[in-house]
Amino acid sequence: MPNARATHLTRRGILAAGGAIGLGAALAACGDDDAKSGGSADASKSAAAGPWSFEDDRGTKVRTDRAPASIVAFTGVAAALHDYGIEVKGVFGPTTTKDGKADVQAGDMDVSKLTVIGNAWGQFNIEKYASLAPDVLISTMFDDAGTLWYVPEESKDKITKLAPSVGISVFDRQLPKPLERMLALAESLGADVRAAKIVEAKKNFEKAAERLRTAAKARPEIKVLVGSASQDIFYVSGSNFSIDLEYYKALGVNLVEPSAKALKASGGWFENLSWENVDKYPADVIIMDDRTATIQPADITESTWKKLPAVKAGQVVARTPEPILSYDKCTPMLNNLAEAIEKAKKVA
């Protein structure tokens, strides 16, 4: 793929690689710097003793004198590590909803036991972060410039001086690669990657991938549109750059692709449509952004949306643009899309 990518936008111009960019204001309403927290989770009990090192996806080899015990991570990363038995002390990013429940990106973590350093876009309480005496900070990266997701641009220098950082890329590659990298990171931190539970989870992921490949091959006529909703704009994502969509495309899923001209304004990520033009692209199945910052299908009141053939046929399913990078959490994504394609009626 060409190198003229979304990194040419301002660093924080992109809210999400998969479907909704420019929703920073919406995210800002989801929490504050003093987001509710109830202490911190125990550090990993399985971390190996002695010096620790890990080469991240920036090509940076991070070294510490001992295996990190005080880990602070982006919420989705922390959720993935949790699935591998590695616990963190602090998180930043969408962790709790307005009613105090776990955000979708928190996975199976007990959010009441986490120190939440920032619960929304642009929020990162540096004093609270420093109080944890962090050994390492871990996040994902949605560009090829080494930008750590949800680490605010204006305070990144102060933050990264307090502890070394690790970045796992979720940009312009297929889903299996970031999954492999997260597993390798978990192993370096002490996870038993040969445990039966983890081995079985990987096998289930591979089975789900084959199921999706088979469904796509059997139903090539089924067009799948990738959407995300805000109050005034409906975003239609292209398949480039997003780890899930690039993988679905490689497996043969017939994804609706906005024109190159339409994608240009967002650096190749998506096309903005007004609700009046939401029917621009015919689709048999619509997969919709499941993050709390976006409007969910059941809450969309626009009449143009309700008239879409896929909506009328009940062929709308959830999509996870920021997957929790464990095999256990990514398997349902593949199975749900496979089932939707298997059962879909041709309506477009």
Side-chain angles (χ1 to χ4, degrees):
M1 291 187 177
N3 290 322
R5 296 172 174 147
T7 50
H8 290 221
L9 300 175
T10 58
R11 180 174 182 257
R12 292 306 180 184
I14 298 177
L15 166 66
I21 297 177
L23 293 180
L27 273 180
C30 295
D32 56 35
D33 279 350
D34 296 316
K36 183 179 179 181
S37 64
S40 59
D42 293 334
S44 170
K45 296 178 181 179
S46 59
W52 173 81
S53 67
F54 183 80
E55 185 171 342
D56 74 359
D57 291 340
R58 299 170 296 186
T60 300
K61 192 159 188 176
V62 181
R63 295 181 175 87
T64 57
D65 293 337
R66 57 186 174 84
S70 181
I71 302 170
V72 176
F74 171 67
T75 303
V77 170
L81 292 175
H82 172 84
D83 284 356
Y84 292 133
I86 305 298
E87 304 299 338
V88 306
K89 283 193 173 181
V91 295
F92 54 96
T95 306
T96 59
T97 58
K98 291 181 179 179
D99 58 5
K101 296 180 180 179
D103 186 274
V104 64
Q105 296 192 60
D108 295 332
M109 293 189 297
D110 183 348
V111 295
S112 69
K113 295 182 180 180
L114 294 171
T115 295
V116 183
I117 293 166
N119 195 51
W121 186 258
Q123 298 173 359
F124 195 108
N125 190 316
I126 299 177
E127 290 183 359
K128 188 178 288 188
Y129 175 58
S131 73
L132 295 175
D135 293 319
V136 67
L137 178 147
I138 310 172
S139 191
T140 49
M141 301 182 297
F142 279 91
D143 60 29
D144 55 5
T147 303
L148 296 173
W149 196 229
Y150 268 79
V151 174
E153 173 71 19
E154 61 276 10
S155 54
K156 66 172 184 177
D157 291 341
K158 292 181 180 179
I159 294 167
T160 54
K161 283 181 180 179
L162 293 172
S165 63
V166 169
I168 299 296
S169 179
V170 289
F171 174 70
D172 196 13
R173 59 199 60 201
Q174 295 177 24
L175 182 58
K177 183 61 176 179
L179 281 170
E180 291 170 5
R181 295 292 291 142
M182 188 62 70
L183 185 64
L185 174 61
E187 182 177 23
S188 79
L189 293 169
D192 179 6
V193 300
R194 295 169 185 80
K197 181 180 178 180
I198 295 175
V199 172
E200 184 66 19
K202 186 174 182 180
K203 288 181 180 178
N204 289 338
F205 175 83
E206 292 167 349
K207 289 178 183 177
E210 189 55 37
R211 179 185 179 185
L212 181 54
R213 187 194 305 275
T214 300
K217 184 177 181 179
R219 303 294 307 278
E221 77 281 7
I222 299 300
K223 295 182 178 180
V224 179
L225 183 142
V226 185
S228 184
S230 68
Q231 183 174 352
D232 300 316
I233 299 173
F234 184 78
Y235 302 86
V236 178
S237 292
S239 63
N240 289 340
F241 307 147
S242 300
I243 57 174
D244 60 331
L245 302 185
E246 287 201 6
Y247 192 42
Y248 298 162
K249 185 177 180 180
L251 292 174
V253 176
N254 184 4
L255 295 173
V256 172
E257 297 281 3
S259 68
K261 181 178 180 181
L263 291 171
K264 186 176 181 179
S266 68
W269 292 102
F270 63 90
E271 177 180 359
N272 292 351
L273 294 178
S274 66
W275 284 104
E276 290 78 11
N277 295 315
V278 74
D279 60 354
K280 179 177 179 179
Y281 297 106
D284 302 294
V285 172
I286 301 175
I287 56 176
M288 289 290 289
D289 191 334
D290 69 355
R291 290 169 298 177
T292 53
T294 66
I295 300 175
Q296 297 306 300
D299 299 319
I300 299 175
T301 60
E302 300 290 340
S303 60
T304 48
W305 164 261
K306 294 180 178 180
K307 292 177 181 178
L308 293 176
V311 176
K312 292 172 68 175
Q315 295 176 176
V316 179
V317 296
R319 178 213 172 196
T320 304
E322 294 185 57
I324 293 172
L325 295 173
S326 72
Y327 290 103
D328 180 67
K329 292 298 182 295
C330 288
T331 296
M333 294 165 42
L334 304 182
N335 279 326
N336 290 343
L337 181 54
E339 182 178 8
I341 293 173
E342 291 163 354
K343 295 182 177 180
K345 297 177 182 178
K346 181 64 182 174
V347 295

